[in-house]
Amino acid sequence: MNTRLWDTWNNGGGPQYPHAKVIQFCMRNYPPAVRSATRVLDLGCGSGVNTRFLAEQGFDCVATDISLVGLANTQALLARHGLRASCAVAEISAQPFADASFDCAITIGVLDSAGPAAARKAVIELRRLLKLGGRAIFVFASDADMRVGAATAYGLYGYRYDEVVELTSGFAEVEIDRYITTYDSGRRQHNDFLVTLTR
């Protein structure tokens, strides 16, 4: 993956707020009483908005990214708010953690950036990292998304449904949904896959 490209993206600050689906997923599945004992991996954390949310909510959070700029932004964001999370530089397909290290993982806008070959390796890696019964949420572009291909400087890959089925095989439970936001009276759309998994 192009580290320089993502350093440049993170220099722009990235998103300012956590993803709505991360908030919903965490609130629905992890009541406050269990959060401090729930170790969560924010895989491809960018500049840390989801990491901040997880830390604020009391999760034991670990954030990884290939971008040193993104990780520096994440650490600065946490420090500004008096929060803590572990941060590490790592490729999505080669995480520096032992098997069954995590109860939960989030991967937002990463698999479409990585492309299908790297995504397959990343999902295998996540299966290794999750404890039995551990859960994950992925949000990534479908082939109907206006951002895919040459539409942006990031060359996002848009997945077909059958590719998502293949990508997520091997988990005990898989739910494949869509998260769609339209623009210009429906003429353009962000059309993401919203995938939740249980190991």
Side-chain angles (χ1 to χ4, degrees), residues 5 7 20 25-26 36 61 67 74 79 82-83 100 102 105 107 112-113 120 123-124 154-155 165 179:
L5 177 68
D7 281 346
F25 176 79
C26 291
S36 64
C61 186
S67 170
T74 298
L83 300 167
F102 294 94
T107 306
D112 43 10
S113 303
R120 280 191 290 274
V123 173
I124 291 168
Y154 305 104
V165 171
Y179 180 55

Side-chain angles (χ1 to χ4, degrees), residues 109-199:
V110 174
L111 302 185
D112 43 10
S113 303
R120 280 191 290 274
K121 294 176 184 177
V123 173
I124 291 168
E125 182 73 341
L126 276 178
R127 198 161 57 237
R128 179 185 73 79
L129 292 171
L130 283 172
K131 296 176 183 177
L132 190 63
R135 305 198 69 197
I137 179 172
F138 302 158
V139 178
F140 55 94
S142 78
D143 56 352
D145 194 290
M146 68 186 191
R147 298 164 294 175
V148 303
T152 70
Y154 305 104
L156 300 184
Y157 182 83
Y159 290 81
R160 301 184 314 270
Y161 184 86
D162 63 296
E163 290 178 300
V164 179
V165 171
E166 180 185 357
L167 185 66
T168 57
S169 64
F171 284 84
E173 296 177 20
V174 180
E175 295 178 8
I176 301 172
D177 293 295
R178 299 274 185 147
Y179 180 55
I180 301 171
T181 305
T182 64
Y183 303 91
D184 299 331
S185 297
R187 289 188 293 275
R188 299 185 305 135
Q189 61 181 253
H190 285 181
N191 189 314
D192 287 312
F193 279 107
L194 170 65
V195 179
T196 54
L197 308 166
T198 303
R199 188 186 182 286

Side-chain angles (χ1 to χ4, degrees), residues 17-24 49-50 53 108-109 139 179 192 194:
Y17 302 100
H19 197 287
K21 293 303 177 183
V22 170
I23 297 171
Q24 291 174 358
V49 291
N50 293 310
F53 166 75
I108 309 302
V139 178
Y179 180 55
D192 287 312
L194 170 65

